[in-house]
Amino acid sequence: MRKLYRPVIRGTNWVLAGILSLLGFSTSSCEKEIVVEYGAPHANYILKGKVTNEAGHAIPDIRIDIQEEHYYNYYESGYQDRATIQSNAEGKFEHKVHSSFVQGRYKLILTDTDGEKNGLYQKDSLQVRFEKEDRIEKGSRWFEGTFEKEISITMKEEKSDE
């Protein structure tokens, strides 16, 4: 009985495989190989910029708090602290991050931390969004690539109460 059962199963498998292939079901694609991967999209982001006053002069020692936008669900989003950097003597700054969330949306909060040394400036914030045009290196599979954006920030002087 066991010897008869095996050839019947094999024959049935061949017949079913033939029918499925005639109907267009197959285990491979003719056009492109599909790779099954587990993971999450990720990308590299490079943010460069310069902080100046309204006269166009560079402002050193401006603290820049960088927050990354995250979507918690379809209706809610929020910002999560990512890093704190400071502008250098020429007012320039640079921040590089590898992010597992490829939203590409950041909020920068700028604060004058050195008191009257370089003048007093109002606290400010701005939104930065990386677009497809900012891609400098194309990625593959889950890696979206490297994006770079350069921005200019003009800070307003704090008005004295005199």
Side-chain angles (χ1 to χ4, degrees):
M1 180 76 175
R2 190 159 180 95
K3 289 185 180 184
L4 179 64
Y5 184 66
R6 226 179 230 161
V8 171
I9 294 293
R10 282 190 184 152
T12 305
N13 285 344
W14 279 101
V15 170
L16 287 174
I19 292 171
L20 289 174
S21 64
L22 287 174
L23 292 174
F25 297 101
S26 71
T27 59
S28 64
S29 173
C30 297
E31 295 172 16
K32 186 177 178 183
E33 183 179 337
I34 298 173
V35 178
V36 178
E37 295 182 4
Y38 296 95
H42 55 101
N44 292 328
Y45 295 102
I46 303 168
L47 179 62
K48 296 178 179 181
K50 185 172 184 178
V51 183
T52 59
N53 60 17
E54 293 172 308
H57 301 293
I59 309 173
D61 302 323
I62 296 294
R63 187 179 79 210
I64 305 164
D65 295 312
I66 301 172
Q67 298 178 340
E68 185 174 29
E69 184 175 16
H70 290 279
Y71 287 98
Y72 302 115
N73 59 40
Y74 187 74
Y75 300 103
E76 294 181 77
S77 68
Y79 287 93
Q80 199 171 35
D81 287 340
R82 197 67 174 143
T84 298
I85 57 175
Q86 202 131 357
S87 61
N88 65 14
E90 292 94 34
K92 294 182 179 182
F93 63 90
E94 182 174 335
H95 177 66
K96 297 178 182 180
V97 63
H98 180 85
S99 178
S100 295
F101 300 94
V102 291
Q103 310 300 334
R105 295 183 187 135
Y106 293 89
K107 180 178 182 180
L108 306 182
I109 301 169
L110 296 99
T111 309
D112 185 5
T113 58
D114 64 1
E116 295 182 21
K117 183 178 174 185
N118 299 315
L120 294 172
Y121 295 93
Q122 297 175 10
K123 187 173 184 175
D124 198 3
S125 68
L126 65 119
Q127 306 283 334
V128 176
R129 181 178 179 154
F130 286 87
E131 304 289 343
K132 288 183 180 179
E133 300 82 39
D134 299 321
R135 186 188 324 247
I136 60 170
E137 176 189 337
K138 190 165 172 57
S140 66
R141 297 190 175 139
W142 285 107
F143 179 60
E144 296 288 328
T146 301
F147 297 80
E148 183 176 283
K149 188 180 255 331
E150 191 154 349
I151 60 173
S152 295
I153 301 169
T154 304
M155 293 193 70
K156 295 179 182 175
E157 289 191 41
E158 203 165 286
K159 295 180 172 74
S160 62
D161 294 333
E162 296 176 12

